[in-house]
Structures are given as C-alpha cells and as structure tokens.
C-alpha cells in the first residue's frame, strides 16, 4: 500500500468519525438542548410544572417582557412577583400557558415535538413529530429566512424517506396555525393522490391539535377541522384560522391559481410532465405568480433528482450558482444527514479499498 493510499484511507476514516460524532450528538426538542437550528439562550425555570427546569430557548423570545421577567427571576413565581401578581395556583397556571404559547410562536421544534402527531413510516404508529437531522438542516434554512423577515423561497433536492416533504408541509401549517390567519396555501404534486397524502398529514395534525393553543378561547373542535370550501373537495377550509388549503396536480392543473394564496408546497417537481399545451414552468408560474414577496410567505419546490434539463433541474442549477439572481435558496440533504442510510462496517480500511473511483 502506497503512502498516498494510506493518507486517503485515513482521511476517509477521519471524516467518517466526524459524521458519526455529529449523528451521536444528543438532541431534546422539549428542553432545546442539542438544537442547532436557531440561536438559543439558557434559561432556568425552577418551578416549571413539567419537563426540564433547564431550558435552551430561542433568542427571539427574550425580547418579550414576560420572558425577561422569567429569565431574570429564574422561576414563574418570581416573574409574577415582579409584575405585582400573587403566585397562586391560578396565576401560575396562566403564566405557564402564556409561556407555552409564546414558545410555540418562536420554537418550531418544541411545538412540533409537543403538539404534532405524525404517522411513522417504519412502524406505522402515530408518534410525536421529533425532527431528525435532515429535517433540522432544512428547518435551519426556513428559520434563517423567516427571522431575517425575508420571503421564504426554498428549492429542496432530496433523497427519499427522511421527511423533507413532511417538514415542509408542517412548517406551512405552523405559519397558518400559530402566526397568521387567512394564510391560504396550495399543495401541488405530480399526481393528485400524492397531494392528498401530503394534505393527509395536515388532517392528522388538526385531529390532535389542542384547542387552547389557538387565539380563539371559544373555539370548538369543529372550528379546527378541514371542511369542503363551498362544496369543493380540492379546497378545504379551517374556520378558526380563516384559511384555505387547496390540492392539485401537474396532470390536472385547472384549479391551481395563486391569486389568493401565501404558501405553496410544490412536491416532486422533477416528475412533473408536460401536459397538452402546458409545460411545468407554466403551471408553476400560474401557482406562484400571485404570492406576494412578503415576510412569512413561502414557496417550496422539492423533488428527488429526476432527469436532466427539466424545469426542476434548471431551477436547481440557477439557484446553486455563485452570485445567483434566483429568489430561491438551494437546500441539499446528503445521505449522511439521514440516519437510516448508515450501516456499521467491521473493517473500514478494507471497505474503503474496495470502493471504485466513482464510489
């Protein structure tokens, strides 16, 4: 074995150790420990009624007056005293609920892990939505754009089965349920059934969503279910948020117009085929052209890599260019960001020597 080969093998082993170390980092979205999505500030709440008393909270929360009182006092009771209220059970309950609502507004990871239920693809069981490493990588870009008050425009090149589409849709739901009313959205996929599956995530979310998190104290369960909008099965309405969610497909694009939406999730764009008299770029333009360039508006193009020279490929290359004029931020989640694509190897040097130049 040459010295050069030995160095190449060692370099690969060192990189593998680095990636394994990143994968092994502990992560707790309920306390905020281990999150690298947003900047977090350590805060002690000695009398927190549930979970950890040592929290790591988004820095954006710290500008809210009640949060400043909690941080400085180190307890809910102390914060109440600072604002001239008794630390009785009713006030402690009220301030804790106010804290949770505030945290949900600033901390998507906490909101998702605490209150959102999804179906696990491997087990088929309903589980809390705790983000994996690939999802946190994508979320960090969503949040960077949102916190900078920029319109969120993302083009996501993805592998399968790690939840990029799930995160994109639930992030849009967060904007609709927590941040804004009348924040209408559309979901368009290569075939309509795929769009229905994506919307099904939203249906499960709403079925399990706590009413007390809503702005409306008088809301009932019927106010937070999707109902057909004016009889349409493709457009559903959520009364408590006064918002519409529309689905469509590249095959049947007739109801996809963007003049009344603020959020667009375009799924598997690389699979969108030309229809009679309609190219994918024409349909995309129809959907997104009416979405204003305002903070918290969001457009996500996402796809696995399918073909060369098609609309998604061209848009990816344009967004990826240095000094690109594209409005879209490219996000690529590599295989080593996805834990299910890793396998232990007994003899790493021997495995590395077996690789072909392409591998």
């Amino acid at each position: 074995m040459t010295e050069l080969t030995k160095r190449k093998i060692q370099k690969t082993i060192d990189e593998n150790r680095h990636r394994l170390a990143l994968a092994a980092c502990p992560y707790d979205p309920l306390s905020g420990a281990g999150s690298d999505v947003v900047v977090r500030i350590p805060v002690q709440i000695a009398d927190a009624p549930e979970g950890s008393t040592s929290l790591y909270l988004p820095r954006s929360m710290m500008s809210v007056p009640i949060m400043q009182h909690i941080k400085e006092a180190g307890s809910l009771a102390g914060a109440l005293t600072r604002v001239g209220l008794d630390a009785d059970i009713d006030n402690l309950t009220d301030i804790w609920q106010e804290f949770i609502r505030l945290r949900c507004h600033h901390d998507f990871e906490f909101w998702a892990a605490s209150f959102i239920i999804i179906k696990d693809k491997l087990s088929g069981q309903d589980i809390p939505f705790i983000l994996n490493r690939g999802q946190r990588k994508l979320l960090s870009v969503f949040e960077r754009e949102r916190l900078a008050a920029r319109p969120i425009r993302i083009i996501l090149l993805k592998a399968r089965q790690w939840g990029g589409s799930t995160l994109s849709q639930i992030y849009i739901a967060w904007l609709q349920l927590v941040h804004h009313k009348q924040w209408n959205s559309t979901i368009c996929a290569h075939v309509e059934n795929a769009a229905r599956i994506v919307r099904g995530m939203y249906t499960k979310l709403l079925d399990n969503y706590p009413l007390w998190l809503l702005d409306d104290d008088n809301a009932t369960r019927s106010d937070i279910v999707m109902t057909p909008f004016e009889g349409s099965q493709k457009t559903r309405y959520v009364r408590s948020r006064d918002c519409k969610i529309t689905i469509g497909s590249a095959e049947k694009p007739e109801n996809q117009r963007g003049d009344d939406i603020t959020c667009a999730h375009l799924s598997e764009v690389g699979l969108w085929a030309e229809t009679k008299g309609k190219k994918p770029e024409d349909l995309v333009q129809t959907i997104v052209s009416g979405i204003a360039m305002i903070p918290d508006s969001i457009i996500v193009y996402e796809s696995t890599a399918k073909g060369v020279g098609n609309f998604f490929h061209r848009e990816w290359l344009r967004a990826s260019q240095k000094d690109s004029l594209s409005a879209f931020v490219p996000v690529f989640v590599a295989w080593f960001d996805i834990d299910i694509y890793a396998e232990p190897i007994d003899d790493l040097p021997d495995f590395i020597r077996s690789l072909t130049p392409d591998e």
Side-chain angles (χ1 to χ4, degrees), residues 219-236:
T220 64
R221 183 52 57 186
S222 63
D223 295 319
I224 198 174
V225 298
M226 288 189 187
T227 57
F229 180 73
E230 296 185 348
S232 171
Q233 291 302 310
K234 293 187 178 182
T235 299
R236 300 293 177 88

Side-chain angles (χ1 to χ4, degrees), residues 151-184:
I152 304 166
R153 303 291 185 267
I154 303 296
I155 182 166
L156 170 65
L157 180 59
K158 63 175 190 174
R160 291 180 57 80
Q161 304 302 321
W162 62 274
S165 182
T166 298
L167 173 62
S168 298
Q169 189 54 46
I170 294 180
Y171 188 83
I172 289 173
W174 183 58
L175 294 175
Q176 292 175 309
L177 291 173
V178 177
H179 287 266
H180 300 281
K181 289 188 174 182
Q182 299 181 330
W183 223 241
N184 300 326

Side-chain angles (χ1 to χ4, degrees), residues 126-144:
D126 287 349
I127 59 172
F129 185 33
I130 297 175
L131 275 65
N132 59 40
R133 289 188 298 123
Q135 289 167 332
R136 298 200 298 272
K137 183 175 183 178
L138 174 57
L139 177 63
S140 67
V141 183
F142 284 154
E143 284 292 85
R144 183 189 72 200

Side-chain angles (χ1 to χ4, degrees), residues 303-314:
S303 185
T304 49
K306 296 289 184 181
V308 173
N310 57 30
F311 170 75
F312 183 80
H313 182 232
R314 294 195 305 272

